[in-house]
Amino acid sequence: QSVLTQPPSVSGAPGQVVTISCTGNSSNIATGSAVHWYQRLPGTAPKLLIYSNVIRPSGVPDRFSGYRSGASASLAITGLQAEDEGDYYCQSYASRLNGPWVFGGGTKLTVL
Amino acid sequence: QLQLQESGPGLVKPSETLSLTCTLSGGSISDIRYNWGWLRQPPGKGLEWIGSIYYTGSIYSNPSLKSRVTVAVDTSVNQFSLKLTSVTAADTAIYYCARQFRDIGNPSFWYFDLWGRGTLVTVSS
């Protein structure tokens, strides 16, 4: 069982908006630890998508955006494209009891 | 081109030691901005951080695995390695090596900005 909780799957049609949630607790996200997001497309290495809650690395389209509040965070994808289909993971920092760097279980995005 | 590549046996017997190496090309493992980490993903489960090492040899380990994990770095050949002892079927996973950005002093802001493609390690007799 992963420390951070994500929905197992989300789906949307091309052009639509989807949101993926990442829920933590008082030992990780709620302490103010940053949340980062990764994308893993089929057959490829994981790729950093969002870091420090809201920052997109160079080359990541502005269709991807991150948000953090309290003990949770979310990733929004606007203008959904077929190439976005894959797995998405959130990551944060926890107390040494269960970390310190912890991940969500991952969310499978299906583009309908 | 900057990239990480994992290498090592794809099959390990129960109770034996899993050994993997990660080679960095196109960059320097002595770059002061980064740690070098190992992560894994068992079938059907989420990602799990195993451990990270700085080029000086400073090590960060997942408490749940710490007693079985050894992480080492060899700056002369731009490689770092993972050893996991006394493996069981529960250690079957895709193992990734990754670069961990640590430029900001606070570890709660560190993240993995470059990943290898991963290598499947199966524990079976």
Side-chain angles (χ1 to χ4, degrees):
Chain A
Q1 188 169 354
S2 298
V3 174
L4 306 178
T5 301
Q6 297 180 235
S9 63
V10 297
S11 62
Q16 287 189 333
V17 177
V18 296
T19 301
I20 299 172
S21 61
C22 175
T23 302
N25 56 39
S26 59
S27 68
N28 42 69
I29 298 176
T31 66
S33 297
V35 177
H36 319 290
W37 292 90
Y38 303 88
Q39 174 194 60
R40 188 179 64 191
L41 302 178
T44 68
K47 169 188 171 183
L48 179 67
L49 202 60
I50 298 284
Y51 67 94
S52 297
N53 305 316
V54 298
I55 303 174
R56 286 186 308 277
S58 174
V60 173
D62 59 7
R63 300 187 297 105
F64 296 90
S65 61
Y67 175 79
R68 185 187 75 82
S69 178
S72 64
S74 59
L75 172 72
I77 309 173
T78 61
L80 202 59
Q81 299 180 3
E83 66 201 48
D84 298 331
E85 186 163 289
D87 298 319
Y88 293 80
Y89 298 88
C90 62
Q91 177 241 309
S92 190
Y93 177 86
S95 68
R96 292 195 63 84
L97 283 176
N98 56 9
W101 293 286
V102 293
F103 287 83
T107 299
K108 168 68 176 175
L109 168 63
T110 300
V111 181
L112 302 171
Chain B
Q1 183 180 358
L2 186 63
Q3 63 179 8
L4 291 165
Q5 179 66 57
E6 304 90 349
S7 59
L11 181 64
V12 182
K13 290 183 168 56
S15 80
E16 295 190 346
T17 297
L18 179 160
S19 296
L20 295 173
T21 297
C22 184
T23 302
L24 171 68
S25 55
S28 172
I29 212 161
S30 300
D31 193 320
I32 63 173
R33 295 171 294 174
Y34 302 105
N35 292 333
W36 305 94
W38 289 98
L39 307 96
R40 68 180 183 179
Q41 184 168 26
K45 297 187 178 182
L47 286 164
E48 179 181 37
W49 169 74
I50 300 171
S52 298
I53 189 167
Y54 193 49
Y55 81 98
T56 58
S58 295
I59 294 172
Y60 309 81
S61 296
N62 187 323
S64 68
L65 297 169
K66 186 174 183 178
S67 64
R68 298 196 292 133
V69 167
T70 300
V71 184
V73 64
D74 187 341
T75 58
S76 67
V77 291
N78 246 13
Q79 291 179 340
F80 59 106
S81 62
L82 168 70
K83 291 188 187 299
L84 180 66
T85 61
S86 305
V87 297
T88 69
D91 295 310
T92 294
I94 298 175
Y95 284 76
Y96 296 98
C97 61
R99 186 178 75 173
Q100 185 179 28
F101 187 76
R102 56 171 284 162
D103 198 30
I104 300 173
N106 187 341
S108 69
F109 285 84
W110 297 357
Y111 53 87
F112 300 92
D113 68 343
L114 177 70
W115 296 64
R117 293 179 67 94
T119 185
L120 174 63
V121 178
T122 302
V123 178
S124 175
S125 55

